[in-house]
Amino acid sequence: MLYPRMTSSRMVFELNGIWDFKLLKKKEERDAGRRLKDSMPMPVPSSYNDIYPGRDFADHVGDMVYQRTFTVTNPVKQGRLFLRFGAVTHTAEVWLNGELLGSHKGGFLPFSFEISKQSRVGENLLTVFVNNIVDYTTLPCGRVVEEEFPGLEQRTVNLPNFDFYNYSGIMRPVWIYTTPDVYIEDIEVYGKMDGSVYWKIQAEGESADKAKVTVRVLDAEGRCVYTGTGYSGSGRVEAPRLWDTQDPYLYRLWVRLQSKSGNVDEYTEIFGFREVSIRDCRILLNEKPVYLKGFGKHEEGGSRGRGTDMALMTKDLGLLKWIGANSFRTSHYPNSEEMMQLCDRMGILVIDESPAVGLNTGFTATGLLGGNPKGTWETLRTKEHHKHVMEEMVKRDKNHPCVIAWSAANEPASQEDGAKEYFAPLVALTKEKDIQKRPVTIVTYEGSTPKTCKVAELCDFLVLNRYRGWYDTEGNLKGAAVKLKEELEGFHVRCPEKPIMLGEYGADTIAGLHDLNARLFSEEYQTEFMRAYGEVFDSLPYIAGEHVWVFADFATAENIKRVDGNKKGIFTRDRRPKQAAYFLKSRWEEIRNPY
Ligand code: E9O
């Protein structure tokens, strides 16, 4: 799926800005063909939740509606016109001028509709119904509960089976863009270390298969270093400058599609020459071992929630560089396309995670489906949707050099019967869809031990979330280190060839709380926690990386385990460093080998 870009044959218009917005009651009448009455202004892109005060507003369960008009001019009506959403959380039903364009399920990936027929020169009315419910069919998973108290109106509560606030709305940019009648629908491009480059073009429109395709590889200065023809093919660039974390050098594949009738479409896709592989317990970038240093990271902040925020994302990557990190996991959903582009450019390695979180009976206060501990894999209805999401994610992110691996899920019930059967086809599908055959993992939690884990063999590398010294053995870091080491050794015995990394480890820490005895919640405890884990990693040669939980403090659902959100951040929510940031900085700056 191509990102909307202005080219010599395409125009792009952003529909971001202030839209009309309204929360909808359960049976409230709706008419997509009329201007909303009693609407309130709402910024797009943004999560709607934190914009206005009131917990009924923030925690609304169900439908809401976004609306705006846009004007189409005559030149824009030449060729085709598309409407594209970066992400709408969690489902969207889109109407234009009173006609239904279609719907999309899944809150973190883009979708588009052709609107050539439904749009008209002049003013157009765009209406989007959004639903924010998470249940046993959605990713992430949750459950809906009807609360009844004598004398009170029935109230619908949506319990997330995950530890982050269920931000929703039109959270990523919206565009309209034009293409010629015969157009480039998708481009796949892969540059390898030896300079070989593979491409595959998908085109749509009348006799698209008979169109003539020319491709050029352009270097960062715009010089053409290779020319080829054909819908798919391969060629070679002499001595390419490889992409890596120190020198994230980017090339572009310029594609020209000329149809029989003479219509021309052009698009330029960014890529890099680099290879990711796995050998002898190591993750290799361009054949050199890369030890992953970084975080699990949410895409969120104050006011706009998970809404695309270019300033925040650039600042975050600047902080990653400052602290000596080289990577992060997009926990627990694909991040915005703009973030992926920035990672390409800044040389940050990404484990690209699907929104499959909460596929367990859980550690959260809420549980799932009434907390039936045996029910997970039989009761969940996510399997087909999960396949679809993995496909969409690979389709969107396949060309990014920054993406070094895919994570199919975070902390599923991987120790329960049915886990292997659930994940095997998902892993296979992900591999099949990715020509780079990047490593795939399933991130597991404490419940899944070297003895009980049912999915280790499906993973190319093991990513473990462990909280010894926090959720158990709390306060006792020596004991925690013993337990951690024992478990890592157990996994190494089970999968002796596979790299093992920590995907999460951390301790809730109140910024500014100091304690001479390094007690729980103090800045000192977080630092000592990091030190204790670091010593274990350093003693085990097969550890391939350390991702701390979590980059910055973040909002969660209201519950008794969380005081104003999750405080395991190494940075506060407004991105100030806690003490442990300085410890990690000195630790990570020492570990270079060689990235
Ligand atoms: C997922 C992440 O989204 N992992 C959690 C993080 C946390 O801080 C959360 O924010 O709580 C930790 C999972 C801990 C599971 C402990 C289970 C112990 C059962 C044996």
Side-chain angles (χ1 to χ4, degrees):
M1 166 161 254
L2 300 177
Y3 188 75
R5 263 194 206 115
M6 196 92 160
T7 72
S8 60
S9 55
R10 294 170 173 231
M11 290 185 274
V12 179
F13 305 88
E14 282 192 357
L15 297 187
N16 303 330
I18 301 290
W19 291 44
D20 295 335
F21 176 84
K22 205 178 158 184
L23 295 177
L24 293 171
K25 296 203 184 68
K26 251 189 199 152
K27 296 210 172 91
E28 189 164 341
E29 202 193 313
R30 49 193 73 183
D31 182 352
R34 261 190 298 151
R35 291 304 303 252
L36 285 172
K37 285 198 203 96
D38 325 313
S39 67
M40 56 214 302
M42 184 57 72
V44 169
S46 167
S47 305
Y48 83 90
N49 311 69
D50 288 347
I51 301 296
Y52 293 103
R55 58 194 282 170
D56 284 347
F57 180 83
D59 298 342
H60 169 78
V61 179
D63 290 333
M64 58 200 92
V65 54
Y66 283 77
Q67 194 177 60
R68 68 164 287 160
T69 58
F70 63 89
T71 301
V72 171
T73 56
N74 255 316
V76 172
K77 278 300 269 181
Q78 315 302 313
R80 295 175 191 258
L81 191 58
F82 291 85
L83 170 66
R84 187 188 195 272
F85 294 82
V88 179
T89 318
H90 295 281
T91 55
E93 186 187 285
V94 185
W95 297 71
L96 189 64
N97 298 326
E99 270 187 70
L100 177 65
L101 297 175
S103 57
H104 181 262
K105 176 173 173 176
F108 303 93
L109 288 162
F111 56 95
S112 62
F113 302 104
E114 182 171 355
I115 56 167
S116 309
K117 292 210 175 69
Q118 299 86 343
S119 59
R120 53 184 176 232
V121 172
E123 195 173 80
N124 292 265
L125 181 65
L126 174 60
T127 310
V128 186
F129 295 104
V130 179
N131 181 285
N132 69 354
I133 289 179
V134 285
D135 61 18
Y136 61 93
T137 70
T138 60
L139 296 176
C141 298
R143 101 187 133 111
V144 179
V145 174
E146 299 297 342
E147 277 188 355
E148 285 182 49
F149 294 96
L152 295 182
E153 229 180 276
Q154 191 192 47
R155 177 168 168 255
T156 308
V157 186
N158 197 187
L159 302 174
N161 199 33
F162 47 89
D163 185 37
F164 52 90
Y165 190 81
N166 185 27
Y167 280 119
S168 45
I170 303 183
M171 305 211 294
R172 293 188 188 153
V174 185
W175 299 269
I176 50 173
Y177 66 92
T178 66
T179 70
D181 284 329
V182 183
Y183 66 99
I184 303 162
E185 162 68 19
D186 198 20
I187 297 172
E188 183 157 29
V189 54
Y190 178 30
K192 295 182 79 168
M193 284 175 75
D194 64 358
S196 49
V197 52
Y198 300 82
W199 74 88
K200 198 167 156 201
I201 314 300
Q202 196 189 321
E204 298 289 340
E206 208 185 311
S207 312
D209 54 329
K210 298 199 182 65
K212 196 173 152 236
V213 176
T214 314
V215 300
R216 280 188 201 148
V217 176
L218 309 174
D219 69 12
E221 284 74 45
R223 284 184 297 250
C224 175
V225 290
Y226 174 79
T227 307
T229 55
Y231 270 96
S232 61
S234 63
R236 193 181 213 97
V237 170
E238 277 316 308
R241 190 159 147 191
L242 301 185
W243 184 96
D244 68 32
T245 58
Q246 303 299 310
D247 181 24
Y249 190 86
L250 294 171
Y251 287 80
R252 284 172 298 155
L253 186 79
W254 173 87
V255 180
R256 184 171 199 270
L257 178 94
Q258 180 160 19
S259 75
K260 283 200 104 180
S261 63
N263 122 177
V264 172
D265 191 16
E266 282 182 12
Y267 191 88
T268 309
E269 178 71 333
I270 295 164
F271 74 105
F273 286 83
R274 66 103 187 82
E275 280 176 49
V276 180
S277 54
I278 281 186
R279 210 168 43 233
D280 302 334
C281 306
R282 288 274 161 255
I283 299 168
L284 307 178
L285 178 65
N286 299 335
E287 287 291 314
K288 289 186 220 146
V290 53
Y291 185 84
L292 298 181
K293 305 170 281 182
F295 301 93
K297 186 178 176 307
H298 272 292
E299 187 173 48
E300 70 108 71
S303 298
R304 67 183 62 199
R306 244 175 274 300
T308 301
D309 181 338
M310 310 273 186
L312 187 67
M313 67 178 84
T314 313
K315 185 180 172 81
D316 282 1
L317 295 193
L319 288 175
L320 283 183
K321 291 274 177 194
W322 171 82
I323 205 170
N326 57 12
S327 54
F328 72 94
R329 175 169 60 113
T330 67
S331 47
H332 302 302
Y333 38 79
N335 284 190
S336 63
E337 293 165 284
E338 294 76 13
M339 183 55 145
M340 296 294 99
Q341 291 162 8
L342 210 52
C343 289
D344 285 345
R345 180 161 170 189
M346 292 177 73
I348 302 281
L349 308 173
V350 174
I351 299 178
D352 204 352
E353 183 157 278
S354 86
V357 52
L359 279 71
N360 58 51
T361 47
F363 57 87
T364 61
T366 59
L368 182 69
L369 304 175
N372 169 9
K374 295 253 178 306
T376 315
W377 300 113
E378 300 91 78
T379 353
L380 281 172
R381 294 285 170 270
T382 47
K383 198 169 176 170
E384 289 312 306
H385 179 49
H386 202 155
K387 282 189 193 152
H388 196 67
V389 166
M390 294 308 294
E391 243 180 280
E392 277 189 345
M393 180 167 94
V394 175
K395 195 155 195 225
R396 192 195 74 165
D397 289 345
K398 59 186 180 298
N399 296 331
H400 287 289
C402 69
V403 175
I404 56 159
W406 311 105
S407 159
N410 181 70
E411 300 176 351
S414 48
Q415 77 285 12
E416 285 178 20
D417 286 337
K420 191 170 166 201
E421 292 70 19
Y422 181 93
F423 279 107
L426 283 173
V427 172
L429 178 76
T430 310
K431 286 267 160 108
E432 181 201 316
K433 295 291 166 191
D434 180 16
I435 51 161
Q436 298 189 20
K437 308 291 172 223
R438 272 166 278 218
V440 179
T441 194
I442 299 157
V443 179
T444 62
Y445 66 153
E446 253 104 343
S448 196
T449 68
K451 284 215 174 74
T452 62
C453 181
K454 303 255 190 306
V455 300
E457 283 69 27
L458 294 175
C459 300
D460 296 306
F461 65 119
L462 305 185
V463 183
L464 313 177
N465 295 353
R466 293 299 182 272
Y467 287 87
R468 311 300 183 199
W470 187 256
Y471 286 118
D472 63 61
T473 340
E474 63 267 38
N476 175 2
L477 288 173
K478 287 206 175 101
V482 171
K483 277 179 143 178
L484 175 70
K485 191 164 179 174
E486 196 180 82
E487 189 166 21
L488 294 173
E489 282 171 337
F491 273 109
H492 180 58
V493 168
R494 176 158 165 190
C495 302
E497 302 294 316
K498 294 191 201 272
I500 300 177
M501 68 174 287
L502 267 276
E504 288 184 18
Y505 59 106
D508 284 87
T509 303
I510 309 301
L513 179 70
H514 290 284
D515 191 312
L516 277 171
N517 295 328
R519 301 238 188 246
L520 298 181
F521 295 102
S522 69
E523 297 219 26
E524 285 75 12
Y525 190 73
Q526 191 180 38
T527 304
E528 292 315 309
F529 189 100
M530 295 301 141
R531 195 191 311 281
Y533 273 64
E535 280 167 11
V536 173
F537 305 151
D538 294 345
S539 72
L540 302 171
Y542 45 81
I543 296 299
E546 48 190 73
H547 278 180
V548 169
W549 190 253
V550 53
F551 174 72
D553 293 347
F554 61 93
T556 64
E558 195 178 17
N559 68 68
I560 53 158
K561 286 194 205 158
R562 298 283 175 254
V563 185
D564 186 36
N566 189 308
K567 298 283 189 229
K568 294 190 185 72
I570 295 300
F571 296 92
T572 59
R573 200 171 185 220
D574 60 356
R575 275 51 177 177
R576 291 167 195 260
K578 297 184 192 169
Q579 189 196 72
Y582 296 95
F583 169 77
L584 288 173
K585 181 172 166 60
S586 60
R587 175 174 166 77
W588 286 347
E589 279 174 353
E590 291 292 304
I591 307 175
R592 283 230 164 256
N593 70 29
Y595 301 115

